[in-house]
């Protein structure tokens, strides 16, 4: 090789290295936390998002998935910009976007079709449009499923038996007000604190959807499961607004497509866990009680409804309750 060729080769190598460095530096890292095991409704949602977002962005987005049990801290981290995105229960979301608490009103939704239809309609989009003013960007609605009650040694034959019992709730005022109306002593705490509280008897019971009870082995600390289905528990996928604003149009579209994939995977897993999970829990040894008189629980919590109508507007509550597929 003559000196001229050697110089050209060196220059070409330098250009290739420089291009590689530029390509690497152009890749955006997106840290996404969620609050459940990898093999769960949120874990699968995160994995689905990663696959689609990385693919649709042409590899310019690198999604790093991490677990973070404290969902309120995760939302705060996204809000402050110390992490890019988070998935989790929408329960703590009301502390950031107060209007979303309307979704936590007991017996608001009749079925999964009803709840998903409302969240995918203008109602759900109107709520997401409120997020940026509170330092969050709503990518997609997810779900935990309908919430059910579990207790330890104390059995519950009717809502009257709940009076005076300490039931762990999320840090959510609507949930707490509903349980207070039923005579319960709601005990709000972060999910990460729940297992030890159940083991130590700090609380008499808790309420969560089947997928959460199943994936976190809460049945190992409880004796009775009551299928009250008293509240539909949405999930939420949020990102930092400044992070989203800094993406290219192609990357933004990739995040949105990833959000749709995450929602689909999440809902499919909830359906699977709801169908098979109850039988799995029964086989594990927890007593499963199908609550045939859900109206008794509805009536027990009814005295909180006037406050909910005052807080959220009777018209909006009616609009959600009366929603029908077009």
């Amino acid at each position: 090789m003559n000196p001229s060729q050697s110089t050209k080769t060196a220059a070409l190598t330098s250009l290739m290295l420089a291009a590689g460095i530029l390509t690497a530096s152009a890749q955006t890292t997106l840290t996404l936390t969620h609050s459940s095991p990898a093999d769960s409704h949120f874990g699968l949602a995160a994995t689905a998002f990663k696959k689609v977002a990385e693919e649709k962005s042409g590899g310019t987005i690198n999604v790093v998935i991490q677990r973070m049990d404290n969902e309120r801290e995760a939302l705060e981290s996204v809000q402050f910009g110390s992490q890019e995105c988070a998935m989790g229960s929408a329960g703590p979301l009301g502390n950031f976007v107060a209007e979303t608490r309307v979704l936590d009103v007991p017996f608001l939704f009749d079925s999964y079709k009803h709840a998903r239809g409302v969240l995918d309609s203008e109602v759900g989009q109107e709520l997401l449009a409120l997020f940026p003013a509170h330092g969050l960007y709503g990518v997609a609605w997810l779900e935990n499923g309908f919430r059910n009650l579990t207790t330890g040694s104390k059995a519950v034959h009717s809502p009257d038996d709940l009076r005076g019992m300490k039931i762990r709730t999320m840090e959510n005022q609507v949930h707490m007000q509903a349980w207070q109306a039923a005579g319960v002593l709601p005990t709000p705490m972060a999910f990460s604190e729940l297992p030890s509280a159940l083991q130590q008897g700090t609380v008499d019971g808790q309420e969560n959807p089947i997928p959460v009870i199943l994936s976190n082995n809460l049945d190992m600390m409880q004796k009775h499961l009551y299928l009250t289905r008293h509240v539909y528990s949405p999930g939420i996928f949020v990102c930092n607004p400044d992070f989203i604003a800094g993406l290219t149009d192609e990357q933004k579209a990739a995040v949105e497509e990833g959000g749709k994939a995450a929602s689909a995977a999440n809902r499919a897993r909830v359906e699977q866990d709801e169908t098979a999970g109850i039988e799995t829990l029964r086989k594990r040894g927890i007593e499963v009680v199908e609550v045939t008189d859900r109206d008794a629980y509805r009536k027990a919590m009814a005295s909180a409804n006037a406050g909910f109508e005052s807080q959220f507007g009777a018209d909006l509550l009616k609009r959600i309750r009366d929603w029908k597929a077009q």
Side-chain angles (χ1 to χ4, degrees), residues 40-41 44-49 259-270:
S40 69
H41 55 307
L44 293 186
T47 301
F49 171 76
K260 292 176 184 176
S263 183
N266 166 261
R267 290 173 176 180
R269 182 53 184 265
V270 167

Side-chain angles (χ1 to χ4, degrees), residues 154-212:
K154 297 185 178 181
V156 175
H157 303 290
S158 76
D160 289 339
D161 296 328
L162 288 169
R163 294 191 170 278
M165 289 179 66
K166 290 183 178 179
I167 301 296
R168 178 269 175 180
T169 68
M170 288 191 287
E171 298 170 281
N172 180 299
Q173 289 298 319
V174 173
H175 288 190
M176 293 167 66
Q177 289 163 17
W179 284 113
Q180 283 172 338
V184 166
L185 301 175
T187 308
M189 65 177 68
F191 187 78
S192 56
E193 300 171 14
L194 177 57
S196 60
L198 292 174
Q199 289 171 335
Q200 295 166 12
T202 306
V203 292
D204 299 308
Q206 63 86 49
E207 42 92 54
N208 259 305
I210 296 299
V212 176

Side-chain angles (χ1 to χ4, degrees), residues 27-33 49-50 53-54 60-66 83-86 139 237-239 243-244 247 251 254-255:
Q27 191 175 58
T28 299
T29 297
L30 186 162
T31 300
L32 169 63
T33 65
F49 171 76
K50 176 180 171 68
E54 290 182 345
T60 64
I61 292 179
N62 174 40
V63 179
V64 177
I65 300 172
Q66 298 176 354
Q83 72 182 57
E84 287 76 31
C85 302
V139 179
F237 177 12
V238 295
C239 292
F243 169 75
I244 295 294
L247 298 177
Q251 289 173 327
V255 169

Side-chain angles (χ1 to χ4, degrees), residues 3 8 43 53 93 103 105-106 111 113 142 176 187 216 271 283 308:
K8 288 179 181 177
L93 183 63
L103 302 173
V105 170
S111 64
K113 181 180 179 181
L142 308 177
M176 293 167 66
T187 308
N216 291 279
E271 287 181 5
K283 288 178 180 177
F308 296 149

Side-chain angles (χ1 to χ4, degrees), residues 57-129:
S57 70
T60 64
I61 292 179
N62 174 40
V63 179
V64 177
I65 300 172
Q66 298 176 354
R67 181 167 177 180
M68 185 174 184
D69 284 346
N70 193 314
E71 294 174 328
R72 179 166 182 157
E73 285 184 10
L75 290 172
E76 288 173 345
S77 295
V78 171
Q79 192 180 49
F80 296 149
S82 54
Q83 72 182 57
E84 287 76 31
C85 302
M87 289 179 178
S89 305
L93 183 63
N95 297 301
F96 301 83
V97 187
E99 292 87 349
T100 61
R101 288 176 176 152
V102 67
L103 302 173
D104 294 311
V105 170
F107 301 102
L108 184 64
F109 298 105
D110 295 327
S111 64
Y112 281 109
K113 181 180 179 181
H114 181 192
R116 294 167 181 174
V118 168
L119 292 177
D120 293 342
S121 74
E122 318 80 57
V123 175
Q125 295 309 303
E126 288 165 12
L127 289 172
L128 290 181

Side-chain angles (χ1 to χ4, degrees), residues 3-18:
S4 174
Q5 288 176 317
S6 178
T7 302
K8 288 179 181 177
T9 300
L12 182 59
T13 301
S14 296
L15 283 171
M16 290 173 67
L17 286 171

